[in-house]
Amino acid sequence: MVVILGAGISGISLGYYLKKKSIPFVIIDKGNHIGGKLITKFTDGYSLELGANSFAINDNIREILKHLNIEDKVIYPNDNLKKKFILKSNRLVCLSLKNIVLLKVLSFRGLIRALAGLFKRYDSKDDISVADYFTYKFGREFLDCIICPAIKGIYAGDVHKLSFRTVFKKLYLIEKQGGLFKFLIKSIFNGGVKNMVNKREIISFERGMSQFVYEISKSFSDNIILNSSVKSVNKENNSGYKIQYCQGEQKKYITAEYLISTLPSYVASDVFKSIDKDIFENLNKVSYSYTGIIHLGYKDNFVINKKGWGFLNSSHPNRSILGAIWNSSVFDGKCPSGYFLFCLYVNVDKNTNITDIINDFNRIMNIKAKPEFIRVEKIKNAIPQKNLGYYKIREYIKNVESKNKNLFFSGNYISGLSLSECIDRSKHLSDIISKNTK
């Protein structure tokens, strides 16, 4: 028996692959719904995403869509997706090659400094921050105008704390193997510039992102135990692992030959204390962002700038808004006719003032009206932060797995933040289990 802890996308996609391979399994989750933080709510004609608004697909996801025959339920963004903005000095600047050349994104000095970085070697083996690497390599202006917005859009994190080698794994390896300039030259000669950039295909679903998780789980809904909080895991001498969980006041036990935890690190740290004496300390070193999501609906005629994916904030220190997605501009059917929906992502702390944030957003977008629709969600432990020293935590987890047969850890703090990375990890684990159970 395979027991999966957690019914987010990592746990559900692993269940999908095990079901395909006819391997018995059960999924246990403390919540009353599957999908974890991948939640779609429908309110007053608005479709509100509390997790990802869309995602990039790869071959594994294409196979899932085809196998489940749900390709007709996929929706695709329009061309406005290609038009992305950064918020620089209180004005929106389209992030395009043309605007970079016209010095609207970087100053002349900043552009020359960034280009010079292509020839500058970085060969340090130290675990340095994202900010330190890009400042050294391409200059402070490049960090502020290009990297900070991107990091805020992905991690809602601090470039001075996030680890370069962990967040930019491919770039870190390129630097170790001879540097960026050498890599670019090789890439040009081996396949041309076009092959250096993989075109991403972005999708969502008719009924929102949570529809994807429910479609995946339809064939094994009886294998999912909800409203059940895992309390502890102990090793059994000959039969694998004994899991204690509670349904209400009732304690229950289940034994697993294979045990896969997709629990967040701060939950797993307590559940697996008996497995390794250092696991509580190490997993609690993974910090998470505290992020607010504000959905705003305006009457369509008050919205001037309607064409674009949205904007990301540069390194403005006193602004709560991390970025905003212009939902109605990218996907149809996200709000009632005659209205326009925005989704704002904001830092949350004790001083957060929603009214001030909305007023700031109105100034940025030049909207001269109050929103007709407002929904605010504050999400604790939203996004795992791969801060300095994270690679040591990852090495520690691999060591725990190697010492405990048939125990594996997954979830976005292990695999990566994107849905495709979580699903890739699930497929990899299912292949390991399938190989060992033959």
Side-chain angles (χ1 to χ4, degrees):
M1 169 71 78
V2 179
V3 175
I4 303 166
L5 306 182
I9 187 62
S10 293
I12 293 297
S13 58
L14 178 55
Y16 163 82
Y17 285 115
L18 295 177
K19 177 72 174 180
K20 278 188 70 179
K21 298 174 188 291
S22 299
I23 298 173
F25 69 93
V26 66
I27 300 174
I28 303 173
D29 193 280
K30 73 173 184 178
N32 60 6
H33 68 276
I34 64 172
K37 290 185 170 66
L38 203 65
I39 301 170
T40 307
K41 288 186 176 181
F42 298 93
T43 306
D44 299 335
Y46 289 88
S47 174
L48 312 177
E49 300 289 359
L50 303 188
N53 276 267
S54 59
F55 66 108
I57 66 174
N58 60 10
D59 288 342
N60 284 335
I61 295 174
R62 290 187 184 92
E63 183 276 330
I64 291 174
L65 298 176
K66 185 175 181 180
H67 178 256
L68 296 177
N69 194 27
I70 57 172
E71 293 164 302
D72 60 330
K73 296 177 181 178
V74 170
I75 60 174
Y76 296 90
N78 56 43
D79 286 342
N80 289 333
L81 178 73
K82 300 174 184 177
K83 197 173 183 181
K84 299 177 174 68
F85 294 84
I86 60 169
L87 181 60
K88 182 182 179 185
S89 301
N90 295 315
R91 65 188 180 92
L92 296 179
V93 178
C94 185
L95 190 58
S96 64
L97 180 59
K98 178 182 177 181
N99 279 349
I100 291 174
V101 172
L102 293 175
L103 305 180
K104 292 184 179 181
V105 178
L106 300 171
S107 67
F108 179 74
R109 183 177 180 180
L111 180 59
I112 295 301
R113 173 65 180 86
L115 291 173
L118 295 174
F119 306 94
K120 197 171 185 179
R121 280 297 309 277
Y122 166 80
D123 55 7
S124 173
K125 295 181 181 178
D126 294 335
D127 185 21
I128 68 169
S129 71
V130 168
D132 285 344
Y133 170 80
F134 282 99
T135 301
Y136 167 80
K137 186 85 173 181
F138 301 105
R140 180 59 186 265
E141 190 178 349
F142 184 86
L143 171 73
D144 289 345
C145 295
I146 305 295
I147 301 303
C148 282
I151 289 297
K152 288 178 180 179
I154 298 170
Y155 285 90
D158 186 342
V159 292
H160 298 281
K161 295 179 180 179
L162 289 165
S163 165
F164 165 67
R165 66 181 291 170
T166 307
V167 173
F168 291 91
K169 290 183 289 186
K170 291 181 180 179
L171 184 52
Y172 174 74
L173 291 174
I174 287 169
E175 292 285 15
K176 284 184 66 176
Q177 294 167 2
L180 186 56
F181 182 72
K182 183 179 179 180
F183 169 78
L184 291 173
I185 294 299
K186 278 186 176 181
S187 298
I188 290 170
F189 279 103
N190 289 340
V193 177
K194 286 185 179 180
N195 291 337
M196 291 163 53
V197 180
N198 293 322
K199 186 177 180 182
R200 301 195 311 161
E201 186 177 6
I202 306 294
I203 66 167
S204 186
F205 287 83
E206 291 175 344
R207 297 289 297 169
M209 292 292 291
S210 60
Q211 182 180 5
F212 181 50
V213 184
Y214 282 96
E215 293 290 347
I216 291 175
S217 65
K218 270 184 179 179
S219 65
F220 56 85
S221 57
D222 291 341
N223 298 57
I224 303 172
I225 304 172
L226 296 176
N227 301 303
S228 301
S229 179
V230 178
K231 297 301 181 182
S232 64
V233 171
N234 291 280
K235 288 182 83 168
E236 298 279 271
N237 290 332
N238 299 314
S239 56
Y241 301 91
K242 187 176 183 179
I243 300 103
Q244 178 193 332
Y245 65 97
C246 291
Q247 283 185 316
E249 299 297 320
Q250 187 178 7
K251 289 183 180 180
K252 294 190 175 184
Y253 297 88
I254 188 171
T255 300
E257 180 184 359
Y258 289 86
L259 178 59
I260 295 87
S261 171
T262 71
L263 302 171
S265 61
Y266 55 87
V267 178
S269 66
D270 192 56
V271 168
F272 287 92
K273 283 189 295 188
S274 66
I275 298 297
D276 189 279
K277 63 182 179 64
D278 297 320
I279 202 164
F280 183 83
E281 178 185 354
N282 277 281
L283 290 190
N284 273 313
K285 289 178 182 177
V286 181
S287 62
Y288 286 71
S289 67
Y290 187 7
T291 305
I293 300 176
I294 305 174
H295 286 95
L296 302 176
Y298 294 83
K299 287 186 176 179
D300 187 79
N301 58 302
F302 288 114
V303 180
I304 298 171
N305 197 341
K306 298 178 182 178
K307 293 187 177 181
W309 169 84
F311 70 82
L312 294 169
N313 185 16
S314 60
S315 58
H316 196 297
N318 299 318
R319 180 164 264 140
S320 296
I321 299 174
L322 299 169
I325 295 176
W326 306 347
N327 304 71
S328 295
S329 174
V330 180
F331 290 103
D332 295 329
K334 292 294 181 180
C335 63
S337 177
Y339 288 83
F340 198 97
L341 178 65
F342 295 98
C343 178
L344 281 60
Y345 296 90
V346 302
N347 274 326
V348 176
D349 58 33
K350 62 181 180 180
N351 298 316
T352 300
N353 185 302
I354 301 302
T355 300
D356 289 345
I357 290 172
I358 294 173
N359 290 337
D360 187 30
F361 178 72
N362 281 1
R363 285 191 293 269
I364 293 167
M365 297 297 297
N366 195 24
I367 297 175
K368 307 297 184 182
K370 292 182 179 180
E372 301 280 329
F373 174 90
I374 302 173
R375 286 296 182 275
V376 179
E377 298 280 350
K378 295 179 180 179
I379 303 175
K380 293 182 178 180
N381 301 315
I383 303 171
Q385 303 295 295
K386 297 185 176 181
N387 289 336
L388 293 168
Y390 175 83
Y391 79 96
K392 294 180 181 178
I393 300 171
R394 189 70 185 93
E395 288 174 355
Y396 166 78
I397 294 169
K398 289 180 179 178
N399 186 48
V400 171
E401 290 176 328
S402 68
K403 291 191 298 184
N404 295 275
K405 185 180 178 182
N406 298 340
L407 172 64
F408 302 96
F409 291 85
S410 190
N412 60 3
Y413 78 100
I414 297 288
S415 59
L417 299 186
S418 72
L419 269 68
S420 58
E421 288 174 308
C422 292
I423 291 171
D424 289 347
R425 170 76 172 165
S426 294
K427 186 176 188 302
H428 172 68
L429 292 176
S430 73
D431 290 340
I432 293 174
I433 295 169
S434 177
K435 182 180 179 180
N436 293 339
T437 54
K438 286 181 178 179

